[in-house]
Amino acid sequence: MKINRRSFIEKSILATAGTLISHKQIQAGVVLKHKGLRNKPVVISTWTHGYAANEAAWQILSKKGKALDAVEKGVMVIEADADNTSVGLGGLPDRDGFVTLDASIMDENGNAGSVSFLQHIVHPISVARLVMEKTPHVMLSGEGALQFALANGFKKENLLTEKAKKEWEEWKKEAKYQPVINIENHDTISMVAIDAQGNLSGACTTSGLAYKMHGRVGDSPIIGAGLYVDNEVGAAAATGMGELVMKTLGSFLIVEFMRNGLSPQQACEKAIERIKQKLPDYKKFQIGYIALNKAGETGAYSIQEGFNYAKYDKKGNKLIDADYILK
Ligand code: ASP
């Protein structure tokens, strides 16, 4: 029997996506590869704090700088903001009073670096970048990550601000662990960008869930969960209850959906649908995904109402409310 190559490829795509993708969508994916880079540079990042982060990223992108530098510098603004209680300095501590940080970064060559359970360092994203650039490893954790940071000139600092300490002391009176949907007791900054050269990169940094168990690591430093970049296809990143993202490897899944022809918006929706299918208690939690493809198209989707993200392109910087599954 003669094998029709095209129909074989299309069947494989259908099987890989595990879903029904129309011929039109497959063609859209094919077209995407050929239509070139329409909208660049573009940067998108999670939550309202994404707006300020985008401003810093755009400083680099608008001068034809690299997406990798843009995403690092972008999220650093939020890491250094002592008033932000979910990222870096000023982040709410774990239940024992320790501020522990997770971060990851990926570049256009598929290189990846991350740190988890890192303490005392204001810019975990820059440590993650050094792990990527200076070591043969992808992730350093805890004390080892701290030693690596100190050996590379980072300063040891107290990240627990008076404001965060007071909130923790208040929480300790009842010591009830309860993630609150959309309330800022856990709001990662995740950012993905395409630069003027058409290269993609992404970064993700967080103090994780407030009052988590000591030692808990979330999705943000897990490559493929909190962040994934494939320069041929696109990039995706997550925020929200990390355990759900880790169990479904959300960011990798979104990039694979885009590889199979879905738009960034459709891919984010399918990844949230996967959570719905696989994790029955999903209604109790919030997850927000953002995605960007090689053509500079973007998308976002969440479980609950209330997730927003900031997008900066030639038209300027704006906050956008994401669509959501629980209506
Ligand atoms: N994804 C982060 C974590 O689970 C928290 C968040 O983005 O809200 O650590």
Side-chain angles (χ1 to χ4, degrees), residues 37 47 73 98 142 152 155 162 165 169 217 241 282 290 295 305:
L37 305 159
W47 303 109
K73 291 287 173 322
F98 300 98
N152 281 282
K155 271 208 319 236
E162 275 310 306
K165 196 171 166 200
E169 275 160 359
V217 168
M241 192 68 189
Y282 76 100
I290 54 171
E305 186 175 11

Side-chain angles (χ1 to χ4, degrees), residues 47 102 186-188 206 208-209 216 218-220 238-243:
W47 303 109
D102 295 337
H186 62 93
D187 276 351
T188 300
T206 189
L209 303 181
R216 182 263 186 189
D219 59 309
S220 306
T239 177
M241 192 68 189
E243 281 69 6

Side-chain angles (χ1 to χ4, degrees), residues 119-254:
Q119 297 181 58
H120 308 301
I121 301 291
V122 176
H123 291 299
I125 197 67
S126 302
V127 185
R129 183 169 175 173
L130 273 190
V131 172
M132 174 172 84
E133 292 178 341
K134 286 205 170 170
T135 80
H137 307 306
V138 168
M139 181 190 282
L140 291 181
S141 195
E143 191 56 28
L146 177 63
Q147 291 313 321
F148 173 75
L150 297 177
N152 281 282
F154 288 82
K155 271 208 319 236
K156 191 168 178 175
E157 294 184 45
N158 173 28
L159 304 183
L160 186 63
T161 56
E162 275 310 306
K163 178 183 160 190
K165 196 171 166 200
K166 264 199 198 125
E167 284 194 36
W168 169 61
E169 275 160 359
E170 232 3 81
W171 172 84
K172 268 204 303 185
K173 289 181 189 160
E174 285 206 21
K176 231 201 234 151
Y177 176 67
Q178 183 128 52
V180 185
I181 291 163
N182 285 337
I183 308 242
E184 214 209 16
N185 77 353
H186 62 93
D187 276 351
T188 300
I189 177 125
S190 296
M191 174 180 271
V192 290
I194 183 165
D195 60 29
Q197 293 72 40
N199 287 321
L200 295 155
S201 291
C204 183
T205 175
T206 189
S207 50
L209 303 181
Y211 320 129
K212 61 196 172 188
M213 287 176 72
H214 188 60
R216 182 263 186 189
V217 168
D219 59 309
S220 306
I222 310 295
I223 301 300
L227 175 72
Y228 199 69
V229 177
D230 182 326
N231 202 40
E232 277 178 29
V233 177
T239 177
M241 192 68 189
E243 281 69 6
L244 280 68
V245 179
M246 291 153 91
K247 287 179 199 168
T248 53
L249 216 53
S251 296
F252 181 72
L253 187 62
I254 291 169

